[in-house]
Amino acid sequence: MIHCEGLVKIFKSDDIEVVALQGLNLTVEQGEMMAIIGNSGSGKSTLLNILGGLDRPSAGQVNVGGWDLLKISDDQLVEYKRNTVGFVWQNNARNLLPYLTALENVEMPMLLTGKLDRAYAKQLLEWVGLKDRMHNKLHQLSGGEQQRVAIAISLSNRPKMLLADEPTGSVDTSTSDQIMKIFREVNRELGITIVIVTHDLTLASKVDRVVAIRDGLTSTEFVKRNPNLDLATVEGALNGGLQEIHEAFVVVDRVGRLQVPKEYLEAVGIDGRASMEFDGERIVIMAPKSLEGDK
Ligand SMILES: Nc1ncnc2c1ncn2[C@@H]1O[C@H](COP(=O)(O)OP(=O)(O)O)[C@@H](O)[C@H]1O
Ligand SMILES: [Mg+2]
């Protein structure tokens, strides 16, 4: 369903460049329900926005459901967003209309694409446990109920893939459990691929697979369908405690810049300046040899 290789996203403003994704690799099978976990600022939202067609990648490969998101045209992107992706955010105020009922809110995107299907809208609301509340106006619903309406909306275009950015970020534990249950049901019943982005390590146990992202790089798939997945493992991976992280790919961008893992730099004592040797085959980077006192 999803295949990213060496995915790079650089945000450029006047004179600052932020490399939010620096060569990320990720593969997600169709029908999987997985989580991407990482600390704040690690590039999770950037990745999700690219997968959702809300933002454009800078370089690398990103293929979703047969679409090449690097080369896709603007018109195709509209079609892609309409037919392939459903999106759930932490704060859903941006796609809910407070003075319409829950049902009307779910019907709205259907109306916009000319495919109104009231029976399906009702079914979706039933799925998310709002059968008895569907004729209530949005502002009469609790935060958790509104979040469930948002999930129903995200499914209204019958997407193949659901992307959720911190979907349980602003709700209590019981609502969070409920939301994860709904995702699981949707995944099982409709076969929709689900990618949940979160910094909440406790969600890890509720998905099939967890991939950690650190500094815009996937720390390889450190937990692959691991039945013994626990918080310590996830935390370890996030903090660089697992072996695999030392095998992270290093990406060389178009102008030849690459980022060397901090652990490597520290291990050989490189600080601010390095010496480089090329023997025709390998490039060796090491601490400067004869620059004592010249830091
Ligand atoms: N529109 C933007 N312009 C400039 N920098 C951005 C933009 N969006 C995100 N960033 C930067 O990219 C990095 C990753 O951000 P983000 O993807 O939001 O992380 P996360 O969702 O994991 O917290 C951060 O350093 C952030 O400041
Ligand atoms: Mg984010």
Side-chain angles (χ1 to χ4, degrees):
M1 188 74 209
I2 300 173
H3 185 71
C4 303
E5 212 169 310
L7 177 60
V8 174
K9 175 65 186 181
I10 301 173
F11 292 105
K12 286 194 184 113
S13 54
D14 291 341
D15 44 14
I16 312 170
E17 272 188 13
V18 179
V19 186
L21 299 176
Q22 37 187 328
L24 179 133
N25 300 314
L26 176 72
T27 300
V28 180
E29 301 298 332
Q30 197 165 348
E32 245 193 298
M33 173 159 160
M34 56 93 65
I36 295 172
I37 293 199
N39 296 327
S40 172
S42 57
K44 304 183 299 294
S45 295
T46 302
L47 172 63
L48 220 61
N49 287 341
I50 289 175
L51 294 178
L54 305 175
D55 207 350
R56 292 271 190 172
S58 306
Q61 289 175 32
V62 47
N63 203 291
V64 187
W67 294 94
D68 180 341
L69 297 186
L70 205 77
K71 302 207 180 107
I72 196 168
S73 71
D74 288 344
D75 288 346
Q76 288 172 324
L77 200 60
V78 172
E79 198 192 322
Y80 169 78
K81 281 190 273 189
R82 242 175 223 173
N83 300 323
T84 308
V85 204
F87 228 114
V88 178
W89 286 276
Q90 172 176 357
N91 178 357
N92 280 288
R94 62 211 261 191
N95 51 355
L96 297 180
L97 300 159
Y99 294 100
L100 295 185
T101 65
L103 182 60
E104 287 164 342
N105 266 278
V106 178
E107 287 176 347
M108 184 58 76
M110 294 176 167
L111 281 171
L112 294 176
T113 54
K115 289 183 217 156
L116 179 61
D117 183 343
R118 176 154 298 169
Y120 189 55
K122 285 183 172 169
Q123 192 183 70
L124 286 173
L125 284 163
E126 206 173 318
W127 247 321
V128 299
L130 291 175
K131 190 175 185 216
D132 302 327
R133 308 283 277 157
M134 64 172 81
H135 298 295
N136 282 81
K137 295 223 172 18
L138 240 287
H139 68 91
Q140 297 167 329
L141 302 181
S142 72
E145 287 170 336
Q146 291 189 14
Q147 187 67 322
R148 285 186 274 151
V149 173
I151 295 172
I153 291 175
S154 74
L155 296 168
S156 63
N157 60 338
R158 300 175 188 267
K160 299 181 184 67
M161 175 178 83
L162 193 62
L163 301 174
D165 194 350
E166 309 270 4
T168 61
S170 54
V171 297
D172 57 42
T173 317
S174 83
T175 308
S176 164
D177 287 347
Q178 208 170 17
I179 287 173
M180 290 305 286
K181 244 195 214 143
I182 292 169
F183 281 155
R184 178 52 80 188
E185 223 171 278
V186 163
N187 168 252
R188 207 177 284 146
E189 301 296 319
L190 302 176
I192 295 179
T193 309
I194 303 185
V195 177
I196 300 163
V197 147
T198 183
H199 65 270
D200 180 0
L201 300 176
T202 60
L203 292 192
S205 59
K206 300 189 174 115
V207 294
D208 303 327
R209 184 165 66 108
V210 177
V211 166
I213 176 170
R214 212 162 53 109
D215 303 333
L217 267 175
T218 39
S219 333
T220 64
E221 297 178 11
F222 71 96
V223 192
K224 199 159 190 178
R225 300 210 158 76
N226 182 350
N228 302 317
L229 180 59
D230 58 18
L231 279 185
T233 317
V234 180
E235 253 160 6
L238 277 181
N239 297 325
L242 288 191
Q243 202 54 42
E244 289 95 303
I245 285 162
H246 298 286
E247 292 161 17
F249 289 85
V250 176
V251 170
V252 183
D253 73 12
R254 277 190 248 200
V255 295
R257 284 178 297 208
L258 57 80
Q259 182 148 2
V260 182
K262 210 162 92 202
E263 306 92 273
Y264 293 9
L265 296 177
E266 283 169 3
V268 297
I270 294 176
D271 176 22
R273 181 180 253 185
S275 141
M276 197 184 280
E277 272 175 28
F278 178 52
D279 65 6
E281 211 174 87
R282 294 177 311 162
I283 304 166
V284 181
I285 302 168
M286 62 207 122
K289 280 174 195 155
S290 53
L291 294 171
E292 289 300 290
D294 186 30
K295 262 194 180 169

